[in-house]
Amino acid sequence: MTLEVSRRGLVIGAGGLLVAGCDKINASPNVRKLLALGEGATYSAQRAIVDRTALAPEFTLAQMSPTFRTNGNTNPGWTEYAGHVASKFADWQLIVDGLVARPLKLSLAQLRAAPYRTQITRHDCVEGWSAIGQWTGAPLYLLLKQAGILPSARFVVFHCADDSGGRPYYESVDLIDAFHPQSILAWGMNGQPLSVGHGAPLRLRVERQLGYKQAKYVMRVEAVASLAGIYGGKGGYWEDVAGYQWYAGI
Ligand SMILES: Nc1nc2c(c(=O)[nH]1)N[C@H]1C(S)=C(S)[C@@H](COP(=O)(O)O)O[C@H]1N2
Ligand SMILES: [Mo]
């Protein structure tokens, strides 16, 4: 197990974060409800809950893929995004809002100065390719905690800068995955700032789920009670347009 020490001196390791993650998950009213259900239900129901919080495998630097291809949209392209690329995202801000007590607007500099986690994981695309890469970013649960996510929230929606045929790309996860210790909003990849092709300035990594859940170009994180009424209502771009599975666990 590797230990990462962030600039704030917070020691982050797979084990340490797992404990932190579990504390947080236990603290979430939704999960408390699930766990309470599990206590009175079958062993398999409990095991399903435990599996959801397990860590995805992590790899060594030596195991990283020599190339990590880009896929899907590789540049949102429109004027405002192009302006942010030109100014190296100096004036860009991530919005965290919806069912939160304290909506946030965070600059890339603020995100990079916050506690971060680095993980080397395997990305699996449904189109039949995989690649192992290193991701560095802000643990999602820390941002949601900072924003004061409300008990009425059930899902977290990631709004992206790109669209296909006028339909914005978006994705969503439930609170178990949102508070998973390996769920991060990555600003770094393979030791470099995240490139435009891979989703600059910020992209989601939810390491126990398929490639299309790994939303690139994340502009806004919205806590919601329901996915109904958000775009096509199925929780994601590919879910809406092609009937892809919403959970997409691997
Ligand atoms: N905003 C946005 N996110 C996206 C996509 C996209 O087209 N737009 N494609 C998805 C798919 S299908 C995959 S496999 C990965 C590809 O990530 P990469 O370009 O870093 O390899 O991003 C996912 N996230
Ligand atoms: Mo994909």
Side-chain angles (χ1 to χ4, degrees), residues 181-219:
Q182 290 168 320
S183 296
I184 64 173
L185 284 171
W187 40 257
M189 180 189 184
N190 298 351
Q192 301 293 319
L194 192 63
S195 67
V196 169
H198 288 294
L202 206 62
R203 68 104 47 91
L204 178 65
R205 293 301 310 175
V206 280
E207 304 295 358
R208 308 205 44 223
Q209 288 164 282
L210 284 169
Y212 59 87
K213 300 297 290 186
Q214 321 299 324
K216 306 196 279 189
Y217 317 111
V218 174
M219 302 287 122

PDB file of all heavy atoms in Angstrom, residues 181-219:
ATOM      1  N   PRO A 181     -13.945   6.155  -0.905  1.00  0.00           N
ATOM      2  CA  PRO A 181     -12.636   6.823  -0.754  1.00  0.00           C
ATOM      3  C   PRO A 181     -11.877   7.031  -2.067  1.00  0.00           C
ATOM      4  O   PRO A 181     -11.033   7.925  -2.152  1.00  0.00           O
ATOM      5  CB  PRO A 181     -11.860   5.896   0.190  1.00  0.00           C
ATOM      6  CG  PRO A 181     -12.625   4.625   0.249  1.00  0.00           C
ATOM      7  CD  PRO A 181     -14.051   4.947  -0.065  1.00  0.00           C
ATOM      8  N   GLN A 182     -12.156   6.213  -3.097  1.00  0.00           N
ATOM      9  CA  GLN A 182     -11.452   6.396  -4.373  1.00  0.00           C
ATOM     10  C   GLN A 182     -12.233   7.277  -5.347  1.00  0.00           C
ATOM     11  O   GLN A 182     -11.801   7.435  -6.495  1.00  0.00           O
ATOM     12  CB  GLN A 182     -11.174   5.039  -5.032  1.00  0.00           C
ATOM     13  CG  GLN A 182     -10.111   4.213  -4.305  1.00  0.00           C
ATOM     14  CD  GLN A 182     -10.082   2.804  -4.814  1.00  0.00           C
ATOM     15  OE1 GLN A 182     -11.136   2.204  -5.075  1.00  0.00           O
ATOM     16  NE2 GLN A 182      -8.891   2.237  -4.970  1.00  0.00           N
ATOM     17  N   SER A 183     -13.342   7.842  -4.943  1.00  0.00           N
ATOM     18  CA  SER A 183     -14.082   8.740  -5.836  1.00  0.00           C
ATOM     19  C   SER A 183     -13.469  10.132  -5.732  1.00  0.00           C
ATOM     20  O   SER A 183     -13.556  10.776  -4.688  1.00  0.00           O
ATOM     21  CB  SER A 183     -15.564   8.778  -5.444  1.00  0.00           C
ATOM     22  OG  SER A 183     -16.138   7.501  -5.630  1.00  0.00           O
ATOM     23  N   ILE A 184     -12.837  10.561  -6.812  1.00  0.00           N
ATOM     24  CA  ILE A 184     -12.143  11.854  -6.793  1.00  0.00           C
ATOM     25  C   ILE A 184     -12.520  12.678  -8.016  1.00  0.00           C
ATOM     26  O   ILE A 184     -12.941  12.137  -9.047  1.00  0.00           O
ATOM     27  CB  ILE A 184     -10.589  11.689  -6.734  1.00  0.00           C
ATOM     28  CG1 ILE A 184     -10.040  10.991  -7.989  1.00  0.00           C
ATOM     29  CG2 ILE A 184     -10.168  10.922  -5.477  1.00  0.00           C
ATOM     30  CD1 ILE A 184      -8.500  10.953  -8.054  1.00  0.00           C
ATOM     31  N   LEU A 185     -12.358  13.992  -7.876  1.00  0.00           N
ATOM     32  CA  LEU A 185     -12.436  14.878  -9.038  1.00  0.00           C
ATOM     33  C   LEU A 185     -10.993  15.184  -9.401  1.00  0.00           C
ATOM     34  O   LEU A 185     -10.304  15.942  -8.706  1.00  0.00           O
ATOM     35  CB  LEU A 185     -13.236  16.138  -8.713  1.00  0.00           C
ATOM     36  CG  LEU A 185     -14.749  15.907  -8.663  1.00  0.00           C
ATOM     37  CD1 LEU A 185     -15.469  17.124  -8.123  1.00  0.00           C
ATOM     38  CD2 LEU A 185     -15.305  15.552 -10.054  1.00  0.00           C
ATOM     39  N   ALA A 186     -10.525  14.540 -10.464  1.00  0.00           N
ATOM     40  CA  ALA A 186      -9.097  14.560 -10.802  1.00  0.00           C
ATOM     41  C   ALA A 186      -8.731  15.787 -11.619  1.00  0.00           C
ATOM     42  O   ALA A 186      -9.405  16.109 -12.598  1.00  0.00           O
ATOM     43  CB  ALA A 186      -8.724  13.291 -11.573  1.00  0.00           C
ATOM     44  N   TRP A 187      -7.656  16.448 -11.167  1.00  0.00           N
ATOM     45  CA  TRP A 187      -7.068  17.557 -11.931  1.00  0.00           C
ATOM     46  C   TRP A 187      -5.692  17.168 -12.484  1.00  0.00           C
ATOM     47  O   TRP A 187      -5.084  17.924 -13.234  1.00  0.00           O
ATOM     48  CB  TRP A 187      -6.992  18.836 -11.089  1.00  0.00           C
ATOM     49  CG  TRP A 187      -6.585  18.636  -9.643  1.00  0.00           C
ATOM     50  CD1 TRP A 187      -7.413  18.656  -8.549  1.00  0.00           C
ATOM     51  CD2 TRP A 187      -5.269  18.404  -9.120  1.00  0.00           C
ATOM     52  NE1 TRP A 187      -6.693  18.448  -7.393  1.00  0.00           N
ATOM     53  CE2 TRP A 187      -5.370  18.294  -7.718  1.00  0.00           C
ATOM     54  CE3 TRP A 187      -3.995  18.274  -9.716  1.00  0.00           C
ATOM     55  CZ2 TRP A 187      -4.257  18.056  -6.889  1.00  0.00           C
ATOM     56  CZ3 TRP A 187      -2.892  18.039  -8.895  1.00  0.00           C
ATOM     57  CH2 TRP A 187      -3.030  17.933  -7.498  1.00  0.00           C
ATOM     58  N   GLY A 188      -5.228  15.998 -12.119  1.00  0.00           N
ATOM     59  CA  GLY A 188      -3.932  15.523 -12.612  1.00  0.00           C
ATOM     60  C   GLY A 188      -4.024  14.103 -13.140  1.00  0.00           C
ATOM     61  O   GLY A 188      -4.837  13.310 -12.661  1.00  0.00           O
ATOM     62  N   MET A 189      -3.218  13.815 -14.152  1.00  0.00           N
ATOM     63  CA  MET A 189      -3.155  12.467 -14.723  1.00  0.00           C
ATOM     64  C   MET A 189      -1.699  12.152 -15.054  1.00  0.00           C
ATOM     65  O   MET A 189      -1.022  12.971 -15.702  1.00  0.00           O
ATOM     66  CB  MET A 189      -3.997  12.404 -16.002  1.00  0.00           C
ATOM     67  CG  MET A 189      -3.984  11.041 -16.659  1.00  0.00           C
ATOM     68  SD  MET A 189      -4.775  11.112 -18.283  1.00  0.00           S
ATOM     69  CE  MET A 189      -4.706   9.387 -18.723  1.00  0.00           C
ATOM     70  N   ASN A 190      -1.254  11.003 -14.618  1.00  0.00           N
ATOM     71  CA  ASN A 190       0.121  10.563 -14.907  1.00  0.00           C
ATOM     72  C   ASN A 190       1.154  11.641 -14.556  1.00  0.00           C
ATOM     73  O   ASN A 190       2.111  11.859 -15.297  1.00  0.00           O
ATOM     74  CB  ASN A 190       0.264  10.131 -16.378  1.00  0.00           C
ATOM     75  CG  ASN A 190      -0.640   8.946 -16.714  1.00  0.00           C
ATOM     76  OD1 ASN A 190      -1.243   8.348 -15.828  1.00  0.00           O
ATOM     77  ND2 ASN A 190      -0.736   8.602 -17.985  1.00  0.00           N
ATOM     78  N   GLY A 191       0.917  12.331 -13.459  1.00  0.00           N
ATOM     79  CA  GLY A 191       1.876  13.323 -12.968  1.00  0.00           C
ATOM     80  C   GLY A 191       1.844  14.665 -13.684  1.00  0.00           C
ATOM     81  O   GLY A 191       2.682  15.531 -13.424  1.00  0.00           O
ATOM     82  N   GLN A 192       0.873  14.848 -14.592  1.00  0.00           N
ATOM     83  CA  GLN A 192       0.761  16.104 -15.362  1.00  0.00           C
ATOM     84  C   GLN A 192      -0.622  16.714 -15.101  1.00  0.00           C
ATOM     85  O   GLN A 192      -1.534  15.996 -14.708  1.00  0.00           O
ATOM     86  CB  GLN A 192       0.855  15.800 -16.877  1.00  0.00           C
ATOM     87  CG  GLN A 192       2.123  15.119 -17.320  1.00  0.00           C
ATOM     88  CD  GLN A 192       3.332  16.019 -17.173  1.00  0.00           C
ATOM     89  OE1 GLN A 192       3.271  17.208 -17.476  1.00  0.00           O
ATOM     90  NE2 GLN A 192       4.441  15.459 -16.677  1.00  0.00           N
ATOM     91  N   PRO A 193      -0.762  18.027 -15.375  1.00  0.00           N
ATOM     92  CA  PRO A 193      -2.125  18.579 -15.327  1.00  0.00           C
ATOM     93  C   PRO A 193      -3.001  17.816 -16.327  1.00  0.00           C
ATOM     94  O   PRO A 193      -2.518  17.391 -17.377  1.00  0.00           O
ATOM     95  CB  PRO A 193      -1.928  20.034 -15.779  1.00  0.00           C
ATOM     96  CG  PRO A 193      -0.489  20.336 -15.575  1.00  0.00           C
ATOM     97  CD  PRO A 193       0.244  19.029 -15.755  1.00  0.00           C
ATOM     98  N   LEU A 194      -4.251  17.632 -15.997  1.00  0.00           N
ATOM     99  CA  LEU A 194      -5.170  16.908 -16.882  1.00  0.00           C
ATOM    100  C   LEU A 194      -5.229  17.610 -18.243  1.00  0.00           C
ATOM    101  O   LEU A 194      -5.423  18.824 -18.306  1.00  0.00           O
ATOM    102  CB  LEU A 194      -6.552  16.886 -16.217  1.00  0.00           C
ATOM    103  CG  LEU A 194      -7.598  15.969 -16.803  1.00  0.00           C
ATOM    104  CD1 LEU A 194      -7.171  14.504 -16.684  1.00  0.00           C
ATOM    105  CD2 LEU A 194      -8.933  16.183 -16.085  1.00  0.00           C
ATOM    106  N   SER A 195      -5.061  16.856 -19.308  1.00  0.00           N
ATOM    107  CA  SER A 195      -5.069  17.451 -20.652  1.00  0.00           C
ATOM    108  C   SER A 195      -6.503  17.681 -21.122  1.00  0.00           C
ATOM    109  O   SER A 195      -7.454  17.104 -20.582  1.00  0.00           O
ATOM    110  CB  SER A 195      -4.356  16.512 -21.630  1.00  0.00           C
ATOM    111  OG  SER A 195      -5.122  15.331 -21.791  1.00  0.00           O
ATOM    112  N   VAL A 196      -6.651  18.485 -22.144  1.00  0.00           N
ATOM    113  CA  VAL A 196      -7.979  18.736 -22.724  1.00  0.00           C
ATOM    114  C   VAL A 196      -8.597  17.412 -23.197  1.00  0.00           C
ATOM    115  O   VAL A 196      -9.760  17.130 -22.943  1.00  0.00           O
ATOM    116  CB  VAL A 196      -7.890  19.779 -23.862  1.00  0.00           C
ATOM    117  CG1 VAL A 196      -9.194  19.846 -24.649  1.00  0.00           C
ATOM    118  CG2 VAL A 196      -7.544  21.151 -23.286  1.00  0.00           C
ATOM    119  N   GLY A 197      -7.825  16.593 -23.842  1.00  0.00           N
ATOM    120  CA  GLY A 197      -8.343  15.318 -24.354  1.00  0.00           C
ATOM    121  C   GLY A 197      -8.909  14.423 -23.268  1.00  0.00           C
ATOM    122  O   GLY A 197      -9.883  13.696 -23.472  1.00  0.00           O
ATOM    123  N   HIS A 198      -8.285  14.471 -22.090  1.00  0.00           N
ATOM    124  CA  HIS A 198      -8.715  13.603 -20.978  1.00  0.00           C
ATOM    125  C   HIS A 198      -9.678  14.302 -20.016  1.00  0.00           C
ATOM    126  O   HIS A 198     -10.010  13.740 -18.981  1.00  0.00           O
ATOM    127  CB  HIS A 198      -7.499  13.066 -20.229  1.00  0.00           C
ATOM    128  CG  HIS A 198      -6.725  12.024 -20.998  1.00  0.00           C
ATOM    129  ND1 HIS A 198      -7.248  10.784 -21.300  1.00  0.00           N
ATOM    130  CD2 HIS A 198      -5.479  12.041 -21.537  1.00  0.00           C
ATOM    131  CE1 HIS A 198      -6.345  10.075 -21.976  1.00  0.00           C
ATOM    132  NE2 HIS A 198      -5.264  10.822 -22.149  1.00  0.00           N
ATOM    133  N   GLY A 199     -10.098  15.564 -20.356  1.00  0.00           N
ATOM    134  CA  GLY A 199     -11.182  16.158 -19.565  1.00  0.00           C
ATOM    135  C   GLY A 199     -10.866  17.401 -18.772  1.00  0.00           C
ATOM    136  O   GLY A 199     -11.560  17.701 -17.802  1.00  0.00           O
ATOM    137  N   ALA A 200      -9.827  18.150 -19.142  1.00  0.00           N
ATOM    138  CA  ALA A 200      -9.433  19.352 -18.400  1.00  0.00           C
ATOM    139  C   ALA A 200     -10.614  20.298 -18.215  1.00  0.00           C
ATOM    140  O   ALA A 200     -11.453  20.414 -19.100  1.00  0.00           O
ATOM    141  CB  ALA A 200      -8.305  20.085 -19.152  1.00  0.00           C
ATOM    142  N   PRO A 201     -10.689  20.984 -17.072  1.00  0.00           N
ATOM    143  CA  PRO A 201      -9.698  20.969 -15.992  1.00  0.00           C
ATOM    144  C   PRO A 201      -9.929  19.889 -14.945  1.00  0.00           C
ATOM    145  O   PRO A 201      -9.048  19.646 -14.130  1.00  0.00           O
ATOM    146  CB  PRO A 201      -9.881  22.356 -15.350  1.00  0.00           C
ATOM    147  CG  PRO A 201     -11.342  22.635 -15.528  1.00  0.00           C
ATOM    148  CD  PRO A 201     -11.705  22.039 -16.870  1.00  0.00           C
ATOM    149  N   LEU A 202     -11.125  19.252 -14.996  1.00  0.00           N
ATOM    150  CA  LEU A 202     -11.503  18.358 -13.903  1.00  0.00           C
ATOM    151  C   LEU A 202     -12.354  17.220 -14.442  1.00  0.00           C
ATOM    152  O   LEU A 202     -13.288  17.458 -15.203  1.00  0.00           O
ATOM    153  CB  LEU A 202     -12.328  19.178 -12.894  1.00  0.00           C
ATOM    154  CG  LEU A 202     -12.370  18.767 -11.440  1.00  0.00           C
ATOM    155  CD1 LEU A 202     -10.978  18.838 -10.825  1.00  0.00           C
ATOM    156  CD2 LEU A 202     -13.335  19.681 -10.684  1.00  0.00           C
ATOM    157  N   ARG A 203     -12.038  15.987 -14.021  1.00  0.00           N
ATOM    158  CA  ARG A 203     -12.880  14.861 -14.431  1.00  0.00           C
ATOM    159  C   ARG A 203     -13.077  13.919 -13.255  1.00  0.00           C
ATOM    160  O   ARG A 203     -12.244  13.829 -12.367  1.00  0.00           O
ATOM    161  CB  ARG A 203     -12.304  14.143 -15.641  1.00  0.00           C
ATOM    162  CG  ARG A 203     -11.013  13.375 -15.475  1.00  0.00           C
ATOM    163  CD  ARG A 203     -11.188  11.869 -15.413  1.00  0.00           C
ATOM    164  NE  ARG A 203     -12.016  11.226 -16.384  1.00  0.00           N
ATOM    165  CZ  ARG A 203     -11.581  10.746 -17.550  1.00  0.00           C
ATOM    166  NH1 ARG A 203     -10.319  10.865 -17.907  1.00  0.00           N
ATOM    167  NH2 ARG A 203     -12.419  10.145 -18.343  1.00  0.00           N
ATOM    168  N   LEU A 204     -14.224  13.267 -13.307  1.00  0.00           N
ATOM    169  CA  LEU A 204     -14.581  12.321 -12.253  1.00  0.00           C
ATOM    170  C   LEU A 204     -13.818  11.019 -12.431  1.00  0.00           C
ATOM    171  O   LEU A 204     -13.616  10.561 -13.564  1.00  0.00           O
ATOM    172  CB  LEU A 204     -16.091  12.052 -12.336  1.00  0.00           C
ATOM    173  CG  LEU A 204     -16.665  11.047 -11.335  1.00  0.00           C
ATOM    174  CD1 LEU A 204     -16.547  11.570  -9.899  1.00  0.00           C
ATOM    175  CD2 LEU A 204     -18.115  10.742 -11.675  1.00  0.00           C
ATOM    176  N   ARG A 205     -13.376  10.418 -11.329  1.00  0.00           N
ATOM    177  CA  ARG A 205     -12.906   9.038 -11.319  1.00  0.00           C
ATOM    178  C   ARG A 205     -13.714   8.289 -10.277  1.00  0.00           C
ATOM    179  O   ARG A 205     -13.666   8.616  -9.088  1.00  0.00           O
ATOM    180  CB  ARG A 205     -11.402   8.957 -10.967  1.00  0.00           C
ATOM    181  CG  ARG A 205     -10.449   9.545 -11.999  1.00  0.00           C
ATOM    182  CD  ARG A 205     -10.537   8.931 -13.358  1.00  0.00           C
ATOM    183  NE  ARG A 205     -10.475   7.477 -13.342  1.00  0.00           N
ATOM    184  CZ  ARG A 205     -10.630   6.714 -14.423  1.00  0.00           C
ATOM    185  NH1 ARG A 205     -10.854   7.257 -15.618  1.00  0.00           N
ATOM    186  NH2 ARG A 205     -10.573   5.406 -14.319  1.00  0.00           N
ATOM    187  N   VAL A 206     -14.516   7.365 -10.709  1.00  0.00           N
ATOM    188  CA  VAL A 206     -15.238   6.445  -9.822  1.00  0.00           C
ATOM    189  C   VAL A 206     -14.744   5.069 -10.229  1.00  0.00           C
ATOM    190  O   VAL A 206     -15.179   4.514 -11.229  1.00  0.00           O
ATOM    191  CB  VAL A 206     -16.775   6.606  -9.912  1.00  0.00           C
ATOM    192  CG1 VAL A 206     -17.241   7.801  -9.081  1.00  0.00           C
ATOM    193  CG2 VAL A 206     -17.277   6.771 -11.342  1.00  0.00           C
ATOM    194  N   GLU A 207     -13.779   4.560  -9.468  1.00  0.00           N
ATOM    195  CA  GLU A 207     -12.930   3.472  -9.948  1.00  0.00           C
ATOM    196  C   GLU A 207     -13.579   2.106  -9.995  1.00  0.00           C
ATOM    197  O   GLU A 207     -12.994   1.180 -10.529  1.00  0.00           O
ATOM    198  CB  GLU A 207     -11.646   3.419  -9.120  1.00  0.00           C
ATOM    199  CG  GLU A 207     -10.860   4.723  -9.098  1.00  0.00           C
ATOM    200  CD  GLU A 207     -10.305   5.110 -10.480  1.00  0.00           C
ATOM    201  OE1 GLU A 207     -10.504   4.348 -11.442  1.00  0.00           O
ATOM    202  OE2 GLU A 207      -9.669   6.181 -10.558  1.00  0.00           O
ATOM    203  N   ARG A 208     -14.790   1.972  -9.474  1.00  0.00           N
ATOM    204  CA  ARG A 208     -15.434   0.660  -9.519  1.00  0.00           C
ATOM    205  C   ARG A 208     -16.502   0.631 -10.596  1.00  0.00           C
ATOM    206  O   ARG A 208     -17.361  -0.240 -10.624  1.00  0.00           O
ATOM    207  CB  ARG A 208     -15.986   0.313  -8.141  1.00  0.00           C
ATOM    208  CG  ARG A 208     -14.872   0.468  -7.085  1.00  0.00           C
ATOM    209  CD  ARG A 208     -15.059  -0.354  -5.855  1.00  0.00           C
ATOM    210  NE  ARG A 208     -15.476  -1.697  -6.160  1.00  0.00           N
ATOM    211  CZ  ARG A 208     -16.437  -2.343  -5.487  1.00  0.00           C
ATOM    212  NH1 ARG A 208     -17.049  -1.753  -4.502  1.00  0.00           N
ATOM    213  NH2 ARG A 208     -16.755  -3.578  -5.818  1.00  0.00           N
ATOM    214  N   GLN A 209     -16.436   1.622 -11.512  1.00  0.00           N
ATOM    215  CA  GLN A 209     -17.464   1.699 -12.541  1.00  0.00           C
ATOM    216  C   GLN A 209     -16.849   1.885 -13.931  1.00  0.00           C
ATOM    217  O   GLN A 209     -15.679   2.253 -14.067  1.00  0.00           O
ATOM    218  CB  GLN A 209     -18.451   2.814 -12.183  1.00  0.00           C
ATOM    219  CG  GLN A 209     -19.323   2.378 -11.000  1.00  0.00           C
ATOM    220  CD  GLN A 209     -20.057   3.511 -10.330  1.00  0.00           C
ATOM    221  OE1 GLN A 209     -19.466   4.249  -9.553  1.00  0.00           O
ATOM    222  NE2 GLN A 209     -21.321   3.636 -10.626  1.00  0.00           N
ATOM    223  N   LEU A 210     -17.675   1.619 -14.937  1.00  0.00           N
ATOM    224  CA  LEU A 210     -17.199   1.633 -16.323  1.00  0.00           C
ATOM    225  C   LEU A 210     -16.814   3.031 -16.811  1.00  0.00           C
ATOM    226  O   LEU A 210     -17.177   4.045 -16.211  1.00  0.00           O
ATOM    227  CB  LEU A 210     -18.291   1.070 -17.244  1.00  0.00           C
ATOM    228  CG  LEU A 210     -18.462  -0.455 -17.211  1.00  0.00           C
ATOM    229  CD1 LEU A 210     -19.741  -0.854 -17.943  1.00  0.00           C
ATOM    230  CD2 LEU A 210     -17.245  -1.154 -17.834  1.00  0.00           C
ATOM    231  N   GLY A 211     -16.112   3.029 -17.962  1.00  0.00           N
ATOM    232  CA  GLY A 211     -15.553   4.251 -18.534  1.00  0.00           C
ATOM    233  C   GLY A 211     -16.528   5.397 -18.720  1.00  0.00           C
ATOM    234  O   GLY A 211     -16.179   6.549 -18.465  1.00  0.00           O
ATOM    235  N   TYR A 212     -17.746   5.098 -19.151  1.00  0.00           N
ATOM    236  CA  TYR A 212     -18.650   6.228 -19.432  1.00  0.00           C
ATOM    237  C   TYR A 212     -19.111   6.959 -18.184  1.00  0.00           C
ATOM    238  O   TYR A 212     -19.636   8.078 -18.270  1.00  0.00           O
ATOM    239  CB  TYR A 212     -19.838   5.804 -20.317  1.00  0.00           C
ATOM    240  CG  TYR A 212     -20.738   4.716 -19.770  1.00  0.00           C
ATOM    241  CD1 TYR A 212     -21.809   5.008 -18.934  1.00  0.00           C
ATOM    242  CD2 TYR A 212     -20.534   3.384 -20.122  1.00  0.00           C
ATOM    243  CE1 TYR A 212     -22.649   4.016 -18.456  1.00  0.00           C
ATOM    244  CE2 TYR A 212     -21.362   2.385 -19.651  1.00  0.00           C
ATOM    245  CZ  TYR A 212     -22.413   2.703 -18.816  1.00  0.00           C
ATOM    246  OH  TYR A 212     -23.244   1.713 -18.339  1.00  0.00           O
ATOM    247  N   LYS A 213     -18.916   6.338 -16.977  1.00  0.00           N
ATOM    248  CA  LYS A 213     -19.245   7.037 -15.728  1.00  0.00           C
ATOM    249  C   LYS A 213     -18.185   8.089 -15.376  1.00  0.00           C
ATOM    250  O   LYS A 213     -18.418   8.951 -14.542  1.00  0.00           O
ATOM    251  CB  LYS A 213     -19.340   6.044 -14.559  1.00  0.00           C
ATOM    252  CG  LYS A 213     -20.385   4.958 -14.678  1.00  0.00           C
ATOM    253  CD  LYS A 213     -21.813   5.435 -14.725  1.00  0.00           C
ATOM    254  CE  LYS A 213     -22.357   6.014 -13.438  1.00  0.00           C
ATOM    255  NZ  LYS A 213     -23.808   6.318 -13.563  1.00  0.00           N
ATOM    256  N   GLN A 214     -16.996   7.996 -16.009  1.00  0.00           N
ATOM    257  CA  GLN A 214     -15.845   8.847 -15.640  1.00  0.00           C
ATOM    258  C   GLN A 214     -15.966  10.204 -16.345  1.00  0.00           C
ATOM    259  O   GLN A 214     -15.193  10.518 -17.260  1.00  0.00           O
ATOM    260  CB  GLN A 214     -14.514   8.175 -16.031  1.00  0.00           C
ATOM    261  CG  GLN A 214     -14.455   6.674 -15.802  1.00  0.00           C
ATOM    262  CD  GLN A 214     -14.641   6.263 -14.356  1.00  0.00           C
ATOM    263  OE1 GLN A 214     -14.191   6.963 -13.444  1.00  0.00           O
ATOM    264  NE2 GLN A 214     -15.294   5.138 -14.126  1.00  0.00           N
ATOM    265  N   ALA A 215     -16.944  10.995 -15.923  1.00  0.00           N
ATOM    266  CA  ALA A 215     -17.278  12.247 -16.610  1.00  0.00           C
ATOM    267  C   ALA A 215     -16.071  13.183 -16.727  1.00  0.00           C
ATOM    268  O   ALA A 215     -15.414  13.494 -15.733  1.00  0.00           O
ATOM    269  CB  ALA A 215     -18.413  12.947 -15.882  1.00  0.00           C
ATOM    270  N   LYS A 216     -15.804  13.618 -17.949  1.00  0.00           N
ATOM    271  CA  LYS A 216     -14.744  14.600 -18.220  1.00  0.00           C
ATOM    272  C   LYS A 216     -15.370  16.005 -18.210  1.00  0.00           C
ATOM    273  O   LYS A 216     -16.586  16.162 -18.249  1.00  0.00           O
ATOM    274  CB  LYS A 216     -14.114  14.335 -19.587  1.00  0.00           C
ATOM    275  CG  LYS A 216     -13.600  12.896 -19.756  1.00  0.00           C
ATOM    276  CD  LYS A 216     -12.653  12.728 -20.936  1.00  0.00           C
ATOM    277  CE  LYS A 216     -13.348  12.591 -22.267  1.00  0.00           C
ATOM    278  NZ  LYS A 216     -12.381  12.218 -23.351  1.00  0.00           N
ATOM    279  N   TYR A 217     -14.519  17.030 -18.203  1.00  0.00           N
ATOM    280  CA  TYR A 217     -14.979  18.442 -18.314  1.00  0.00           C
ATOM    281  C   TYR A 217     -16.068  18.778 -17.289  1.00  0.00           C
ATOM    282  O   TYR A 217     -17.081  19.403 -17.621  1.00  0.00           O
ATOM    283  CB  TYR A 217     -15.494  18.725 -19.739  1.00  0.00           C
ATOM    284  CG  TYR A 217     -14.634  18.144 -20.818  1.00  0.00           C
ATOM    285  CD1 TYR A 217     -15.065  17.085 -21.605  1.00  0.00           C
ATOM    286  CD2 TYR A 217     -13.339  18.640 -21.023  1.00  0.00           C
ATOM    287  CE1 TYR A 217     -14.254  16.530 -22.581  1.00  0.00           C
ATOM    288  CE2 TYR A 217     -12.522  18.086 -22.000  1.00  0.00           C
ATOM    289  CZ  TYR A 217     -12.993  17.030 -22.774  1.00  0.00           C
ATOM    290  OH  TYR A 217     -12.195  16.478 -23.731  1.00  0.00           O
ATOM    291  N   VAL A 218     -15.889  18.339 -16.030  1.00  0.00           N
ATOM    292  CA  VAL A 218     -16.906  18.578 -15.000  1.00  0.00           C
ATOM    293  C   VAL A 218     -16.891  20.055 -14.604  1.00  0.00           C
ATOM    294  O   VAL A 218     -15.875  20.593 -14.178  1.00  0.00           O
ATOM    295  CB  VAL A 218     -16.672  17.674 -13.762  1.00  0.00           C
ATOM    296  CG1 VAL A 218     -17.648  18.042 -12.637  1.00  0.00           C
ATOM    297  CG2 VAL A 218     -16.825  16.204 -14.145  1.00  0.00           C
ATOM    298  N   MET A 219     -18.024  20.716 -14.806  1.00  0.00           N
ATOM    299  CA  MET A 219     -18.160  22.145 -14.519  1.00  0.00           C
ATOM    300  C   MET A 219     -18.970  22.379 -13.244  1.00  0.00           C
ATOM    301  O   MET A 219     -18.837  23.391 -12.586  1.00  0.00           O
ATOM    302  CB  MET A 219     -18.914  22.850 -15.675  1.00  0.00           C
ATOM    303  CG  MET A 219     -18.270  22.698 -17.032  1.00  0.00           C
ATOM    304  SD  MET A 219     -16.781  23.711 -17.164  1.00  0.00           S
ATOM    305  CE  MET A 219     -15.547  22.465 -17.530  1.00  0.00           C
TER     306      MET A 219
END
